[in-house]
Amino acid sequence: MKLVAPVLVSLSVLAAVQPAWAQDAASLLAETRKTALPVLPKVVQAMQTAVKEQGPVGAIPVCKEKAPQLLQEMRQQTGWDIRRISLKTRNPATGAPDAWEARQLADFDIKAANGAKPEQIEVGEIITASDGKRSYRYMKALPVAEVCLTCHGPTDLLADDLKAALAKDYPLDRATGYAAGEVRGALTVTRPLLGP
């Protein structure tokens, strides 16, 4: 009987705390969406304009330089770590996922394969690191749009000059072979949290 009482107390404490954590997670999700997601249409618009005006080869610098610049501006404004990642990276130095992100991307692929719309797939979670520091991790799936296929579609359909330009700028490129509607990768956000 002595063992049962502490367990009941612990469960009642958990029951009291859990709604606060759930509310905290919900507000973090809403705030993260509101702050970080507006960068995505800017990246897509920049790519669409570049492809239309300069062609696929001329658009490579937009993807390589302009998109990271937009994310860097967001990092400076918020103090959050914000990146684009993928399981099939074009630039492993900037787009490789960590272990948590890789698990989420694999889960995104499973959800998409089971009929979920990639543009609606996201995840948010409060994480406590081994040093006790808490952060909020958020990921939003990036679907393959028609404009993406220009450079990320099946390799045999890419123009030779584009293949050469991609090989020059991205010698470790693995980011081809996609079809419209698949998950290309994700926007990932890590927000440091204060307090316990």
Side-chain angles (χ1 to χ4, degrees):
M1 196 60 144
K2 290 182 181 180
L3 293 176
V4 173
V7 170
L8 291 175
V9 170
S10 296
L11 289 177
S12 66
V13 168
L14 266 176
V17 171
Q18 189 172 0
W21 275 84
Q23 184 178 6
D24 191 30
S27 63
L28 287 167
L29 175 63
E31 184 182 0
T32 303
R33 277 183 188 146
K34 182 180 176 183
T35 303
L37 293 186
V39 77
L40 294 177
K42 292 177 185 178
V43 171
V44 172
Q45 181 62 46
M47 285 304 302
Q48 288 173 333
T49 301
V51 168
K52 183 178 178 181
E53 293 176 358
Q54 304 165 39
V57 173
I60 290 173
V62 172
C63 193
K64 187 177 181 183
E65 298 163 13
K66 180 66 174 173
Q69 178 187 353
L70 291 169
L71 294 174
Q72 177 62 26
E73 290 169 5
M74 182 71 65
R75 282 192 293 274
Q76 289 172 342
Q77 290 171 10
T78 62
W80 304 346
D81 180 25
I82 303 173
R83 302 179 300 123
R84 291 180 306 164
I85 57 165
S86 178
L87 292 174
K88 290 170 47 175
T89 59
R90 178 141 280 171
N91 181 355
T94 59
D98 64 21
W100 184 86
E101 292 164 337
R103 281 193 307 274
Q104 304 309 322
L105 284 169
D107 188 52
F108 286 5
D109 285 340
I110 291 168
K111 287 178 179 175
N114 286 320
K117 294 180 179 178
E119 60 273 11
Q120 296 176 349
I121 301 173
E122 64 181 352
V123 65
E125 187 176 342
I126 296 172
I127 305 288
T128 303
S130 58
D131 63 3
K133 293 183 180 175
R134 292 175 55 225
S135 62
Y136 182 72
R137 305 285 311 261
Y138 172 79
M139 281 178 49
K140 172 76 171 166
L142 300 175
V144 177
E146 286 299 322
V147 70
C148 304
L149 293 176
T150 306
C151 296
H152 294 284
T155 306
D156 58 337
L157 298 181
L158 302 181
D160 289 339
D161 62 336
L162 178 60
K163 286 180 192 177
L166 288 171
K168 178 180 172 266
D169 283 344
Y170 300 105
L172 302 174
D173 184 16
R174 294 179 37 234
T176 57
Y178 287 99
E182 291 183 320
V183 174
R184 162 71 184 96
L187 180 74
T188 182
V189 178
T190 302
R191 298 177 54 178
L193 298 178
L194 301 175

